[in-house]
């Protein structure tokens, strides 16, 4: 291909921008962001935390689940500016610093609860939030499936994810009914 | 390694990375300064483009380029017809950007490249396109009438292909038969809906002249060949990498989606990396779909249920284009007799253009359709003859002694006569009958009915031709520093667990832990011979190629170690990453053997000393690398299957129907399946369970709906209902292992198995459950609460 004169390109859009301050995985972050930037894009593109995935951008699949101030949330339905002042946790923060997997992650591995892995961070975040929030876990088949009902997986058929939730409860000494 | 890798439920070797957010899907590849793409897509199913005005978009701040067909030069062409076949009539394929006419809602008309996707979408909205809408016909049966509006002006009656195949003497058998059963069944439009939509990124290096393309494709090598040819580049200057891919299920193999060409094109033009990350709504209108077929199937039998012949005539909806030729219809037509002898077959299909998203194979690829047609017909035959559904099947199954069982005259997707290689069909049927305990269920059903609850038993048998050629390769290399084993093949994975099963195969031959076998696939920069991932073929074709390469590598290790250790080859064993003289502690690590087999001048580390010219281990007469020898431990081999190998299985379910809410609930779902020797039972189960879930979607929830004007009505996850965990049943799995006689590992494919039978399982369960209402058999999938409601109403006589 013949060499052309390099085109003049703006480095970024003319969108109105705003500074935000938040904590992401325990680290303080200050950034200037476009006011319409989705939190998912902010995490993935601006902070390069690409473990948070985007499967639908309309709140159905749960791939983009992160914890905002301890509660699971769809980062595709949240603007980055809305997260100003909050504490975000993403999949990158779940394992220990030395790489030791969180019991939920370990259980996923043991139970073959992932295939392509695209939905996996969303499942893990949402399960972690259930484990952190709930008093008594309902570990019956229906109870676990209900717990998982905010996330879509196209590969596994869910059965091994159900098994992984129970295994994680066992590893964490979290009994429950069922 | 004391235990054998092959056959063990080894934990996957890649999972820790994926579980901690360390996956590298296309959009995760860091490309500094990347520009982003958005497309203008046709809002009409059929229209003529009168004018496109891109001036406002070009002037928009942050826009790098806007392209229409006029800007594409040599790329403004129809994309290749991938699988030509003589029965195709005027085959038409997609173009990168529309020229003149558009043929489906979602067709790409213009492309914007901008600093980010937000701006690209803003600019796309500024592009004005004047369309002159044209009439459409969405109904498959009306579309082939002579007065129907045409999708392509020069393709008469919208018929893209017409093909007839015959096996045996169907006319003679029909003349002899004493009982005839004829039904009509319909399978609806659906889509693969992988959780990761499609994605392409490209970077052009002006210094080296290399084009690198990251493409979430199932066919990186084929994409590479196609791109090199379109751009007139040397193949070695184009590197296509399929990194982690979030599911494919067939949708991610098409040469080419518009973006697969235009993203590299723009990257070369603009001198910046460019990305296209498809969003979910685009996946519904821009990425291929599958499924619609209408079959009229007729069985010719004896009074005791022996099926002598079948005739099947069907329409296959190919959407706006037919880039994949007749692949789906051909698989459906040649799988039509299922596991049954049926020695005489006549099967005909017409592939029909409709102004909808183009159709290419989606997990199952014609098999779910064929299974639904033959199995519904077998149920009907049983009912008509007063036979039990299990019994009518029992009487027609191919017996073990009859393998190989060839259907002369029916050419499968590999161009060869259908030949089932092995199986224990009757045993599988008995096993499921026993597990479900039919007699006990009948009692339970009767008791439930008294309490006003409606339970039904569903049953389906399927076969699956897997492991198609032409070939794949395997490359095995022992790394001299770490002793780790590197393995490559040309096809790519989308979550199936290739890296683990291929590692298991190699680990057995080289005596290492599967975690020390590093599999890199789907990168043409690493290994570039091979074809693609489709038709449940990776384990069969790449698996056997890798096995053969591993055997060669093992022979090299043994020979070299025999010299080093001064022991006979027969006295050596490969265990725990070492070659050992049996019964002694004398041995050498794989790394040491790999180092010693590579004659060196410079001792860059301690182990390397043994391979330098004055070291005792390297001393011998003549050149240090013997004539005809290669350095190191490295081997490549290829496997080309003689023909497809046929897996099979039986599914059964107990389903409760609530006739008030018209809802369903699976009480049990059972699956007996046989994919030959299993490399990793945990992975096999995962494949089957995932397939069943996708099948449940296709049986009750997922249907891509088009209105009469050809607008998709549910192109999003709110309205197209992919099942959650709450809708998918627990699967009770039973394995059988009848080795394939066709390949060294004795394996058959399993990727598509799970989804094939589910439509029939549910339809037959509903028939059974709603018998007290006297409903007519269900003959369309997906079923729905509406379908149940209408069936009950019709039975009550309130509706015709
Ligand atoms: S990407 Fe956020 S819910 Fe699907
Ligand atoms: S593992 Fe692929 S979508 Fe869940």
């Amino acid at each position: 291909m013949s060499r052309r004169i390099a085109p003049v390109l703006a480095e970024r859009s003319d969108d109105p921008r705003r500074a935000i301050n938040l904590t992401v995985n325990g680290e303080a972050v200050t950034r200037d962001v476009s006011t319409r930037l989705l939190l998912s894009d902010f995490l993935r593109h601006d902070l390069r935390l690409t473990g948070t995935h985007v499967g639908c951008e309309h709140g159905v699949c749960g791939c983009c689940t992160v914890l905002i101030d301890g509660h699971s949330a769809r980062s595709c339905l949240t603007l980055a500016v809305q997260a100003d002042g909050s504490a975000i946790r993403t999949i990158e923060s779940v394992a220990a610093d030395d790489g030791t997997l969180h019991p939920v992650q370990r259980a996923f591995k043991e139970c073959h609860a992932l295939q392509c892995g695209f939905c996996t961070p969303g499942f893990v975040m949402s399960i972690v939030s259930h484990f952190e929030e709930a008093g008594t876990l309902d570990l019956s088949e229906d109870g676990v499936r209900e717990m998982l009902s905010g996330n879509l997986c196209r590969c596994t058929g869910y059965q091994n994810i159900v098994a992984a939730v129970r295994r994680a409860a066992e590893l964490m000494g979290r009994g429950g009914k069922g | 390694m004391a235990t054998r890798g092959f056959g063990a439920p080894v934990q996957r070797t890649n999972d820790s990375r994926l579980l901690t957010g360390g996956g590298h899907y296309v959009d995760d590849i860091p490309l500094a300064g990347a520009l982003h793409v958005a497309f203008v897509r046709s809002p009409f199913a059929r229209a003529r483009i009168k004018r496109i005005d891109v001036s406002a978009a070009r002037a928009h701040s942050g826009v790098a380029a806007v392209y229409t067909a006029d800007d594409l030069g040599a790329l403004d062409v129809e994309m290749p017809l991938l699988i030509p076949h003589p029965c195709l009539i005027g085959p038409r394929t997609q173009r990168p950007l529309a020229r003149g006419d558009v043929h489906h809602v979602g067709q790409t008309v213009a492309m914007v490249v901008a600093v980010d996707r937000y701006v690209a979408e803003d600019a796309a909205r500024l592009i004005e396109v004047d369309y002159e809408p044209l009439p459409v016909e969405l109904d498959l049966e009306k579309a082939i009438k002579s007065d129907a509006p045409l999708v392509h002006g020069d393709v008469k009656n919208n018929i893209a292909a017409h093909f007839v195949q015959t096996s045996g003497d169907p006319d003679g058998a029909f003349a002899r038969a004493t009982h005839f059963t004829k039904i009509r069944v319909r399978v609806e439009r659906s889509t693969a809906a992988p959780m990761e939509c499609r994605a392409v990124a490209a970077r052009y290096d002006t210094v080296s002249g290399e084009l690198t393309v990251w493409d979430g494709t199932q066919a990186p090598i084929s994409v590479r060949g196609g791109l090199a040819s379109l751009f007139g580049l040397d193949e070695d200057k184009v590197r296509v990498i399929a990194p982690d891919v979030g599911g494919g299920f067939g949708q991610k193999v098409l040469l080419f989606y518009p973006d697969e060409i235009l993203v590299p094109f723009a990257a070369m033009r603009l001198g910046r990396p460019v990305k296209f990350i498809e969003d979910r709504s685009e996946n519904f209108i821009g990425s291929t779909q599958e499924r619609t077929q209408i079959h009229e199937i007729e069985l010719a039998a004896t009074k005791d249920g022996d099926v002598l012949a079948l005739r099947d005539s069907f329409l296959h909806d190919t959407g706006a284009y037919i880039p994949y030729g007749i692949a789906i219809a051909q698989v459906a037509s040649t799988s039509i007799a299922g596991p049954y002898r049926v020695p005489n077959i006549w099967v005909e299909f017409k592939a029909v253009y409709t102004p909808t998203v183009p159709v290419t194979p989606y997990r199952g690829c014609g098999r779910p359709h064929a299974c639904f047609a033959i199995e519904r017909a077998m149920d009907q035959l049983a009912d008509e003859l007063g036979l039990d559904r299990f019994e009518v099947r029992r009487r027609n199954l191919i017996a073990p002694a009859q393998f190989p069982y060839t259907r002369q005259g029916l050419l499968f997707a590999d161009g060869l006569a259908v030949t089932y290689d092995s199986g224990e069909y009757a045993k599988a049927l008995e096993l499921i009958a026993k597990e479900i305990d039919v007699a006990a269920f009948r009692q339970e059903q009767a008791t439930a009915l008294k309490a006003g609850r409606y339970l039904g038993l569903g049953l389906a048998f399927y076969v699956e031709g897997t492991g198609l050629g032409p070939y794949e390769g395997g490359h095995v290399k022992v790394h001299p520093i770490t002793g780790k084993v590197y393995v490559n093949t040309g096809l790519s994975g989308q979550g199936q667990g290739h890296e683990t099963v291929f590692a298991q195969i190699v680990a057995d031959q080289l005596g290492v832990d599967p975690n020390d076998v590093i599999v890199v696939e789907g990168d043409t920069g690493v290994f570039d011979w091979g074809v693609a991932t489709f038709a449940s073929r990776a384990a069969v074709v790449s698996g056997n190629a890798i096995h053969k390469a591993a055997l060669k590598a093992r022979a090299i290790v043994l020979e070299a170690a025999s010299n080093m250790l001064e022991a006979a080859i027969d006295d050596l064993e490969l265990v725990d990453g070492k070659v050992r003289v049996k019964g002694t502690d004398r041995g050498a690590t794989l790394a040491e053997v790999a180092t010693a087999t590579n004659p060196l001048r410079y001792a860059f580390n301690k182990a390397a000393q043994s391979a330098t010219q004055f070291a005792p281990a390297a001393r011998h007469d003549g050149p240090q690398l013997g004539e005809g020898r290669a350095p190191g431990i490295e081997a490549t081999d290829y496997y080309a299957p003689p023909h497809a190998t046929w897996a099979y299985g039986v599914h059964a379910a107990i389903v409760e129907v609530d006739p008030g809410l018209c809802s369903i609930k699976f009480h049990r779902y059972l699956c007996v399946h046989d994919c030959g020797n299993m490399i990793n039972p945990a992975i096999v189960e995962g494949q089957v369970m995932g397939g069943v879930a996708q099948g449940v979607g296709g049986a009750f929830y997922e249907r891509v709906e088009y209105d009469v004007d050809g607008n998709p009505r549910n192109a999003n996850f709110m309205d197209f209902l992919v099942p959650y965990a709450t809708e998918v049943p627990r699967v009770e799995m039973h394995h059988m292992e009848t080795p394939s006689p066709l390949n060294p590992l004795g394996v058959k494919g399993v990727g598509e198995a799970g989804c094939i039978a589910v439509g029939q399982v549910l339809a037959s369960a509903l028939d059974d459950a709603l018998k007290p209402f006297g409903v007519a058999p269900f003959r369309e999938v997906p079923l729905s609460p509406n379908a149940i409601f209408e069936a009950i109403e019709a039975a009550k006589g309130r509706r015709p």
Side-chain angles (χ1 to χ4, degrees):
Chain A
M1 181 154 292
S2 63
R3 297 290 282 272
R4 290 160 186 271
I5 296 170
V8 179
L9 291 180
E11 281 310 309
R12 64 185 204 194
S13 71
D14 297 342
D15 286 357
R17 302 177 84 83
R18 234 188 75 184
I20 55 171
N21 297 290
L22 65 169
T23 315
V24 178
N25 298 338
E27 258 183 75
V29 173
T30 299
R31 295 286 163 114
D32 189 38
V33 297
S34 149
T35 51
R36 61 172 167 170
L37 186 70
L38 297 176
L39 178 59
S40 50
D41 286 344
F42 173 68
L43 294 169
R44 293 178 43 74
H45 300 152
D46 292 28
L47 303 189
R48 288 237 181 279
L49 295 173
T50 52
T52 298
H53 296 155
V54 172
C56 71
E57 276 183 319
H58 52 263
V60 181
C61 75
C63 288
C64 65
T65 305
V66 297
L67 304 191
I68 304 182
D69 295 329
H71 302 290
S72 71
R74 307 270 205 240
S75 62
C76 77
L77 296 183
T78 310
L79 294 169
V81 291
Q82 290 177 289
D84 190 17
S86 59
I88 310 277
R89 279 158 63 199
T90 70
I91 187 68
E92 285 87 352
S93 70
V94 175
D97 285 344
D98 69 355
T100 307
L101 298 180
H102 182 283
V104 172
Q105 293 169 317
R106 180 175 151 197
F108 264 63
K109 188 171 156 83
E110 286 180 10
C111 300
H112 182 29
L114 65 155
Q115 290 184 24
C116 77
F118 196 78
C119 69
T120 310
F123 272 96
V124 170
M125 295 317 287
S126 128
I127 295 165
V128 164
S129 89
H130 274 97
F131 273 64
E132 288 179 0
E133 280 176 15
T136 321
L137 291 169
D138 180 354
L139 294 176
S140 67
E141 177 91 22
D142 286 350
V144 176
R145 286 179 185 264
E146 199 55 46
M147 180 195 296
L148 301 175
S149 68
N151 292 72
L152 288 176
C153 173
R154 197 56 160 165
C155 298
T156 63
Y158 303 105
Q159 191 159 326
N160 288 345
I161 302 181
V162 173
V165 169
R166 289 180 168 154
R167 174 70 180 135
E170 184 181 272
L171 288 169
M172 295 167 79
R174 288 289 302 272
K177 63 187 176 92
Chain B
M1 258 256 327
T3 50
R4 218 168 116 75
F6 190 104
V10 171
Q11 279 185 22
R12 301 205 321 170
T13 56
N14 252 350
D15 283 355
S16 297
R17 186 172 63 79
L18 297 173
L19 277 161
T20 50
H24 304 289
Y25 304 85
V26 172
D27 194 27
D28 305 338
I29 309 288
L31 288 171
L35 301 170
H36 293 260
V37 164
F39 285 101
V40 174
R41 296 175 181 276
S42 170
F44 292 101
R46 279 288 285 122
R48 194 144 296 147
I49 296 173
K50 311 289 280 183
R51 184 184 70 99
I52 307 180
D53 182 352
V54 300
S55 51
R58 280 207 174 116
H60 192 67
S61 166
V63 170
V66 178
Y67 302 106
T68 68
D70 287 341
D71 305 307
L72 300 185
L75 299 182
D76 179 29
V77 288
E78 286 198 7
M79 294 295 99
L81 172 65
L82 298 173
I83 309 177
H85 191 278
C87 78
L88 289 163
I89 306 159
R92 302 299 294 271
T93 59
Q94 67 285 6
R95 307 179 78 95
L97 294 173
R99 165 161 301 284
D101 279 20
V102 287
H103 300 103
H104 68 90
V105 171
Q107 182 171 347
T108 46
V109 173
M111 178 170 99
V112 178
V113 189
V115 289
D116 62 36
R117 170 80 183 213
Y118 297 74
V119 174
E121 286 186 21
D122 291 344
R125 257 173 239 125
L126 297 175
I127 294 175
E128 286 175 29
V129 188
D130 287 350
Y131 297 96
E132 177 192 327
L134 298 170
V136 294
E137 178 55 70
L138 271 288
D139 182 308
L140 213 49
E141 286 160 302
K142 291 185 188 149
I144 56 173
K145 300 260 163 63
S146 50
D147 57 347
L150 298 178
V151 177
H152 301 285
D154 53 350
V155 180
K156 257 178 62 188
N157 298 343
N158 292 309
I159 295 175
H162 180 204
F163 196 45
V164 178
Q165 296 199 76
T166 306
S167 184
D169 172 21
D171 290 344
F174 264 83
R176 277 200 323 278
T178 49
H179 186 89
F180 303 91
T181 293
K182 187 168 183 176
I183 62 166
R184 184 186 140 88
V185 305
R186 184 182 175 106
V187 180
E188 280 293 348
R189 184 62 83 99
S190 193
T191 188
M195 277 304 117
E196 184 202 19
C197 295
R198 291 188 320 93
V200 183
R203 181 177 60 201
Y204 184 64
D205 182 332
T206 45
V207 177
S208 65
E210 276 171 4
L211 173 67
T212 307
V213 180
W214 291 266
D215 186 349
T217 179
Q218 298 172 222
I221 293 177
S222 308
V223 169
R224 196 269 309 254
L227 287 179
S229 116
L230 274 167
F231 290 116
L233 293 169
D234 221 356
E235 279 195 314
D236 281 354
K237 292 287 183 202
V238 184
R239 179 175 178 189
V240 176
I241 303 168
D244 290 322
V245 177
F249 316 113
Q251 189 187 68
K252 292 181 181 172
V253 51
L254 175 70
L255 284 55
F256 290 90
Y257 283 107
D259 43 272
E260 287 178 302
I261 294 171
L262 298 178
V263 166
F265 166 76
M268 292 164 83
R269 276 287 178 100
L270 301 170
R272 292 261 294 260
V274 176
K275 270 185 178 186
F276 167 68
I277 309 301
E278 184 185 64
D279 72 19
R280 183 55 61 185
S281 63
E282 291 180 292
N283 186 262
F284 276 100
I285 57 173
S287 288
T288 56
Q289 305 178 346
E290 210 227 66
R291 292 291 193 256
T292 310
Q293 286 184 358
I294 304 169
H295 286 249
E296 302 235 1
I297 181 169
E298 185 174 17
L299 304 181
T302 64
K303 292 286 182 213
D304 43 4
D306 182 5
V307 181
L308 305 176
L310 77 72
R311 288 192 185 123
D312 179 44
S313 172
F314 68 94
L315 298 177
H316 167 76
D317 175 4
T318 188
Y321 305 110
I322 194 158
Y324 237 90
I326 58 167
I328 303 160
Q330 184 161 26
V331 170
S333 64
T334 48
S335 306
I336 192 67
Y340 310 114
R341 290 183 303 275
V342 194
N344 305 290
I345 296 169
W346 176 89
V347 58
E348 171 201 45
F349 65 80
K350 293 191 178 96
V352 183
Y353 287 121
T354 57
T356 60
V357 171
V359 166
T360 65
Y362 159 37
R363 195 179 204 174
C365 181
R367 299 171 185 89
H369 319 65
C371 174
F372 194 63
I374 181 68
E375 289 294 274
R376 293 278 65 203
M378 292 301 274
D379 283 352
Q380 180 69 21
L381 177 68
D383 281 355
E384 289 173 3
L385 295 176
L387 286 171
D388 172 72
R389 281 181 287 163
F390 285 84
E391 183 56 27
V392 81
R393 288 174 169 78
R394 208 170 276 138
R395 291 183 187 181
N396 286 285
L397 290 175
I398 297 166
Q402 291 175 301
F403 292 103
Y405 193 83
T406 299
R407 301 194 192 278
Q408 266 336 321
L410 295 195
L411 300 186
F412 195 55
D414 50 8
L416 304 167
V418 166
T419 300
Y420 299 1
D421 50 304
S422 60
E424 293 271 1
Y425 295 172
K427 209 163 131 189
L429 187 67
E430 292 326 309
L431 178 57
I432 209 151
K434 185 176 130 249
E435 291 297 331
I436 207 144
D437 195 346
V438 180
F441 169 70
R442 288 299 170 208
Q443 278 183 5
E444 187 193 339
Q445 186 182 35
T447 316
L449 187 59
K450 284 195 196 111
R453 292 172 50 217
Y454 297 85
L455 300 183
L457 171 62
L459 177 68
F461 210 124
Y462 71 88
V463 292
E464 185 197 356
T466 72
L468 301 189
Y471 82 97
E472 291 293 337
H475 172 245
V476 175
K477 180 177 180 179
V478 178
H479 201 286
I481 307 253
T482 59
K484 291 207 197 278
V485 184
Y486 277 73
V487 174
N488 312 109
T489 189
L491 50 66
S492 61
Q494 300 80 42
Q496 298 91 331
H498 294 172
E499 69 293 331
T500 307
V501 295
F502 295 157
Q504 287 175 259
I505 290 169
V506 173
D508 276 353
Q509 295 310 326
L510 297 183
V512 295
D513 188 284
N515 286 297
D516 290 328
V517 181
I518 292 144
V519 176
V520 179
E521 57 176 0
D523 179 349
T524 63
V526 171
F527 191 84
D528 66 350
W529 294 110
V531 187
T533 302
F534 60 92
S536 305
R537 68 192 290 277
V540 179
V541 192
S542 277
N544 279 291
I546 289 167
H547 172 68
K548 287 170 72 184
L551 287 174
K552 281 188 175 174
R554 178 187 171 88
I556 297 171
V557 172
L558 286 172
E559 194 190 321
S562 141
N563 284 333
M564 287 171 71
L565 301 169
E566 297 182 331
I569 284 180
D570 286 348
D571 293 335
L572 298 177
E573 60 184 358
L574 277 76
V575 280
D576 298 330
K578 288 195 194 68
V579 194
R580 253 196 341 229
V581 182
K582 285 180 199 159
T584 74
D585 55 5
R586 274 198 321 123
T589 65
L590 266 192
E592 286 165 349
V593 180
T595 302
T597 48
N598 178 25
L600 293 172
R601 180 157 179 83
Y602 308 113
F604 49 76
N605 67 12
K606 193 150 179 352
Q609 291 175 2
S610 69
T612 50
Q613 54 271 45
F614 303 114
R619 255 210 324 264
H620 51 85
D621 303 329
Q624 282 179 293
L625 191 62
E627 188 59 34
R629 308 307 290 258
I633 300 168
E634 182 168 15
T636 303
D637 211 337
Y638 298 88
Y639 175 71
H643 57 78
T645 176
W646 289 71
Y648 64 94
V650 201
H651 290 199
I654 292 170
V655 179
E656 177 163 358
V657 187
D658 179 332
L661 294 173
C662 297
S663 60
I664 58 162
K665 180 159 174 55
F666 285 94
H667 286 301
R668 291 180 72 190
Y669 197 103
L670 292 88
C671 163
V672 170
H673 82 101
D674 186 344
C675 59
N677 293 332
M678 290 188 287
I679 306 170
N680 184 325
I683 284 178
V684 167
E685 285 178 12
Q687 287 293 309
V688 174
M689 294 186 301
V692 169
Q694 221 158 14
V696 167
F700 202 70
Y701 301 97
E702 298 171 8
R703 176 183 168 188
V704 177
E705 289 174 43
Y706 288 91
D707 69 15
V708 289
D709 296 323
N711 297 304
R713 293 203 304 187
N714 58 348
N716 61 70
F717 273 172
M718 300 284 243
D719 302 307
F720 179 88
L721 304 174
V722 174
Y724 287 102
T726 36
E727 282 79 49
V728 175
R730 164 167 294 276
V731 180
E732 299 168 39
M733 195 99 56
H734 300 276
H735 300 295
M736 290 176 50
E737 290 185 88
T738 313
S740 170
L742 301 181
N743 61 71
L745 294 173
V747 297
K748 304 179 180 184
V750 70
E752 293 163 282
C755 74
I756 297 171
V758 190
Q760 154 68 12
V761 170
L762 185 65
S764 59
L766 294 195
D767 284 359
D768 191 37
L770 297 176
K771 220 169 240 159
F773 290 91
V775 300
F778 290 93
R779 300 232 162 102
E780 285 188 25
V781 275
L783 291 156
S784 60
N786 238 356
I788 294 172
F789 176 76
E790 277 167 18
I792 294 173
E793 291 296 298
K796 285 180 185 161
R798 291 190 202 152
R799 291 188 182 191

